[in-house]
């Protein structure tokens, strides 16, 4: 994976910046085979930044944003995106989606960045469900709530409830039910035209 990552970074820096570069990444990642049974779906903490192969790249993103160096931030973000995709972990995708929004706020405006972040979060939700991660489903539901996408947030909370029911853990069921009730309330507030979301 280290060699593959190096080749992808080299190719990206040769390519022009933009959507074509991300398409290159998507094509490469589709060709990478990772055994999902070798991964720990519960490796990430609940609402804390996790540690993974994308972590150092995201630090570079934030450092570059602090210096208002958007080109360096974009390059570091693409490295983080590939690392998160190859890892097959939901938490990496959530953190990469969050970082994309931070870049968007500085570079192109948050609204422009939301479409790509939404797509990344959907991939994270699929992974969380596939891996049976209650924390993952709840974290992604929260990300969609922040985006103001309450329908998908509610779907994430329902997935979390299903996962909690399989776990037969009363605390997990309580957490998932509370999240779903909160999502229902926020959706109702938005449909009535109120609230910050």
């Amino acid at each position: 994976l280290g060699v593959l990552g190096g080749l992808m970074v080299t190719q990206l820096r040769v390519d022009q910046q933009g959507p074509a570069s991300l398409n290159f990444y998507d094509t490469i990642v589709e060709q990478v085979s990772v055994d999902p049974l070798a991964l720990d779906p519960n490796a990430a903490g609940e609402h804390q930044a996790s540690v993974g192969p994308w972590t150092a790249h995201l630090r570079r993103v934030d450092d570059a944003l602090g210096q208002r160096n958007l080109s360096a931030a974009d390059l570091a973000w693409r490295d983080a995106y590939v690392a998160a995709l190859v890892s097959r972990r939901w938490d990496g995708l959530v953190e990469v989606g969050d970082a994309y929004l931070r870049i968007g706020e500085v570079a192109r405006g948050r609204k422009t960045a939301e479409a790509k972040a939404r797509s990344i979060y959907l991939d994270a939700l699929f992974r969380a469900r596939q891996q049976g991660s209650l924390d993952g489903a709840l974290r992604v539901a929260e990300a969609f709530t922040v985006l103001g996408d309450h329908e998908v947030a509610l779907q994430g909370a329902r997935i979390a409830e299903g996962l909690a029911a399989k776990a037969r853990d009363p605390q997990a069921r309580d957490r998932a039910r509370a999240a779903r009730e909160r999502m229902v309330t926020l959706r109702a507030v938005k449909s009535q035209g109120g609230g910050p979301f």
Side-chain angles (χ1 to χ4, degrees):
L1 289 179
V3 172
L4 177 62
L7 291 173
M8 288 186 288
V9 170
T10 302
Q11 180 65 41
L12 176 67
R13 290 182 175 145
V14 171
D15 289 344
Q16 292 181 344
Q17 293 183 8
S21 296
L22 289 179
N23 290 340
F24 166 78
Y25 275 127
D26 292 339
T27 302
I28 291 295
V29 170
E30 286 170 6
Q31 298 170 3
V32 175
S33 175
V34 176
D35 179 6
L37 298 176
L39 302 172
D40 178 7
N42 300 312
E46 193 170 315
H47 283 299
Q48 306 167 10
S50 56
V51 176
W54 58 88
T55 305
H57 302 302
L58 291 182
R59 281 196 208 105
R60 286 175 34 226
V61 168
D62 291 330
D63 289 347
L65 287 177
Q67 298 168 12
R68 309 290 288 184
N69 185 339
L70 296 178
S71 176
D74 276 338
L75 284 173
W77 181 85
R78 290 182 180 126
D79 292 342
Y81 180 54
V82 169
L85 285 171
V86 171
S87 78
R88 308 279 180 158
R89 286 172 49 181
W90 65 264
D91 50 336
L93 286 177
V94 171
E95 291 180 33
V96 165
D98 293 346
Y100 197 80
L101 291 175
R102 292 195 298 275
I103 293 172
E105 287 172 355
V106 174
R108 10 181 156 13
R110 184 179 173 92
K111 284 292 178 193
T112 305
E114 285 180 358
K116 178 68 177 175
R118 184 172 283 109
S119 173
I120 295 168
Y121 291 147
L122 282 172
D123 288 343
L125 182 58
F126 175 78
R127 285 187 183 179
R129 182 180 63 184
Q130 189 177 51
Q131 296 169 358
S133 174
L134 172 64
D135 287 343
L138 291 175
R139 176 62 182 85
V140 177
E142 189 63 35
F144 278 107
T145 298
V146 170
L147 286 180
D149 193 337
H150 297 291
E151 292 299 326
V152 181
L154 183 55
Q155 185 63 30
R158 288 178 178 142
I159 289 170
E161 278 193 303
L163 295 173
K166 290 178 185 175
R168 297 179 183 159
D169 176 355
Q171 288 185 330
R173 286 197 298 270
D174 289 345
R175 286 177 58 210
R177 185 175 61 252
R180 181 182 52 78
E181 289 170 357
R182 179 172 173 266
M183 303 302 170
V184 168
T185 300
L186 288 171
R187 183 180 64 171
V189 168
K190 182 183 179 185
S191 69
Q192 294 168 7
F197 299 108

